[in-house]
Amino acid sequence: MAKKSVSAKSPAAQAKGVKPVYVLNGPNLNLLGLREPEIYGRTSLADIEKLVTAHAKARGITALCLQSNHEGELVTWIQEARSMASGVIINAAAYSHTSVAIHDALAMLDIPAVEVHISNVYKREEFRHYSFVSSVVKGVICGLGVQGYTLALDAILADISK
Ligand code: DQA
């Protein structure tokens, strides 16, 4: 089942009419904290979402955090982001390495998108070294743990406030 959580809209973001940043997480990331903690650490997805939401709020913007194990649902949210979001943070997880559909959806965005991986995929199995996401986003943050999400948010804010 898809999970949706929205931070309260800060007065600053409301005043400026800034749309939320979509924070999209793909398959198996709902089990962060329990899943291979030696690779992904012990922080749960709920805690990551709290962290990003607070980080966004402190900067006068909102974060809309969504997670799905289903490729099509992620595609639908990326499509929705075209009109509803000011930027997209995406950890497409295993779909990063397989999904032409997610690549194509991201290619249609004209807002900044940043790809995040908690682990350093280049230190891992070879099948993780190619990402269908990387060529259609502004930048990639990988191997910096959950901090990657807040760094991605700062990169998007820097880009939209240019
Ligand atoms: C991941 C890396 C992917 O290779 C893997 O399939 C994931 C998580 C990461 O955040 O490090 O599920 O995207």
Side-chain angles (χ1 to χ4, degrees), residues 75-145:
V75 168
T76 297
W77 289 334
I78 296 165
Q79 290 182 4
E80 184 185 292
R82 295 172 70 225
S83 58
M84 303 294 285
S86 59
V88 173
I89 297 170
I90 181 159
N91 184 347
Y95 289 140
S96 316
H97 316 302
T98 62
S99 178
V100 176
I102 289 176
H103 169 102
D104 286 352
L106 288 166
M108 287 189 280
L109 283 179
D110 55 12
I111 52 173
V114 175
E115 175 180 10
V116 171
H117 296 286
I118 294 166
S119 66
N120 183 345
V121 287
Y122 300 102
K123 280 186 170 173
R124 301 180 63 195
E125 303 94 322
E126 213 171 318
F127 65 82
R128 297 184 202 274
H129 296 182
Y130 183 76
S131 165
F132 283 94
V133 171
S134 304
S135 60
V136 283
V137 290
K138 186 167 179 62
V140 182
I141 297 170
C142 108
L144 299 182

Side-chain angles (χ1 to χ4, degrees), residues 2-162:
K3 198 174 154 257
K4 223 174 203 197
S5 71
V6 194
S7 68
K9 223 177 205 161
S10 82
Q14 259 172 347
K16 283 196 238 155
V18 179
K19 294 173 184 170
V21 171
Y22 275 28
V23 183
L24 305 181
N25 280 292
N28 300 308
L29 296 174
N30 54 313
L31 293 182
L32 282 173
L34 304 171
R35 173 193 181 200
E36 299 178 277
E38 66 289 357
I39 298 175
Y40 299 112
R42 298 205 176 268
T43 310
S44 68
L45 182 62
D47 285 341
I48 292 173
E49 291 179 348
K50 272 188 216 149
L51 186 78
V52 182
T53 297
H55 197 81
K57 198 173 176 189
R59 284 152 187 79
I61 193 161
T62 54
L64 174 60
C65 300
L66 302 157
Q67 187 276 331
S68 180
N69 292 328
H70 303 278
E71 185 177 16
E73 197 151 36
L74 292 161
V75 168
T76 297
W77 289 334
I78 296 165
Q79 290 182 4
E80 184 185 292
R82 295 172 70 225
S83 58
M84 303 294 285
S86 59
V88 173
I89 297 170
I90 181 159
N91 184 347
Y95 289 140
S96 316
H97 316 302
T98 62
S99 178
V100 176
I102 289 176
H103 169 102
D104 286 352
L106 288 166
M108 287 189 280
L109 283 179
D110 55 12
I111 52 173
V114 175
E115 175 180 10
V116 171
H117 296 286
I118 294 166
S119 66
N120 183 345
V121 287
Y122 300 102
K123 280 186 170 173
R124 301 180 63 195
E125 303 94 322
E126 213 171 318
F127 65 82
R128 297 184 202 274
H129 296 182
Y130 183 76
S131 165
F132 283 94
V133 171
S134 304
S135 60
V136 283
V137 290
K138 186 167 179 62
V140 182
I141 297 170
C142 108
L144 299 182
V146 300
Q147 200 199 351
Y149 290 90
T150 53
L151 292 170
L153 188 70
D154 287 341
I156 286 171
L157 285 175
D159 193 75
I160 61 180
S161 48
K162 264 187 206 159

